[in-house]
Amino acid sequence: AVMWRAVAAASAPARALFRAPLPPRRAVSVAVSPAAGLADERVETRVTGLGPGQPVTLRALAADERGCLFQSCAHYRADGRGELHLSTDASHGGDYTGVEPMGLFWSLAPAGMERPYQRLVPRSTGTPMKVEMSVHQGHSLPGAIPGPVVAKADVERWFTAPGVRRIRLKEGGVRGSLFLPPGDGPFPGVIDMYGDEGGLIEFRSSLLATHGFAALSLPYFDFEDLPKVMKEFKLEYFEEAARFLRRHPKVKGPGVGVIGTGKGAELALSMITFLPEVVAAVCISGCSSNTVADLHYGEMTLPGLRFDMNKVSVSDAGVFDIFEALDDPTNPANSPCTIPIEKAEGHFLLVVGEDDRMWKSSLYAELAIGRLRQHGKENFELLSYPGAGHRIDPPSTPFCQVAMDRVLGVPVLGGGESKAHAHAQEHSWGKIQEFLHLHLG
């Protein structure tokens, strides 16, 4: 409960030491409310005690679990009362412009001395991301030495609420973590999967549990005794996970949902198509065909579309653009790879960024919708965001246009523009929860 106690820093105005009627000079202070709160919540940031119209640079600084530093900055001018409110006042420069209450959070990027192209992604959900906010005199450019500090505040961004339970799973062949909300339940059950980076990524599951879902963070390769690489997959593994979740005493029936990003979104499409336990699928930046690794289910095999590395272009800065590299799913020769989603009884929510440069997720969503409509189905919703890139995460997750690819070991272009992407993250997160509640109860 200590995490919700706001840090209130009130400074008593200095008493006038002389009889001359000089106005008392207030100390500058910055207050962030809540000082400790959920990572997907907005905060209110307010600076007081400045001179009217005074130019200042606001900076945010955070470190990941390995100690890598991330920073952001924005230029503001105080109003006539010497105050700043980030919810109503516009930034005039720095890492973003305009009225962006959460801009300092979503524009966090590796500091100058760090290796570029790293993501600020929480590895542990039990500890908060700590962000130091500071106010500096004058306007200093990103990467430049800032002016003197006139005020500071610390902020804690938590990925789990008090009472949420995390249970590590070794259940039959299934691995991962189950997050359960506080209380008796039963709760709507959701399986959560990420993409080709592999391993166990928990922060979206823990936030879903905070919002009332029993969320199973499901790794499917490069974790414990799971396969090391994406060579081939058996849908039976995902079926076992869906059955485990559906039978759990804390989970509402009759069916469960699944949310996936990238390769995880495409697996979500296969799960809702073939597994009766899955009745709702949120597919973020997925492909409507099976890709890379063959997918087996009993006697059936969906071959994977391949990447043609000859179609990869590399910029002068050494950034790889793989947008054109995946085999064309509309080529009749590749029709065996298509996921027959028209067989699904459940509901789809397709989420895409129109500037996704990892692959053509807007086109793949169109193909999926076309296929459903061709079979007389309207069991889908589409959220399509201009200017958003590939990885649409919960709100205020720092935007990362180029990220190191774990498989290729090189920086790969994910696309998107920071402000549009941040707005897509905020809007889609509410819609995703609405969709899951609607179809899972």
Side-chain angles (χ1 to χ4, degrees), residues 193 276 333 340 416:
M193 300 179 296

Side-chain angles (χ1 to χ4, degrees), residues 117-119 195-197 230 307 309 320 322 358 390 402-413:
Y117 313 135
Q118 298 186 72
R119 282 189 191 285
D196 62 5
E197 61 269 62
M230 286 201 301
F307 278 95
M309 296 313 281
F320 283 58
I322 62 172
M358 288 288 276
H390 180 69
V402 176
M404 289 302 289
D405 186 275
R406 199 197 65 85
V407 181
L408 300 173
V410 296
V412 172
L413 184 61

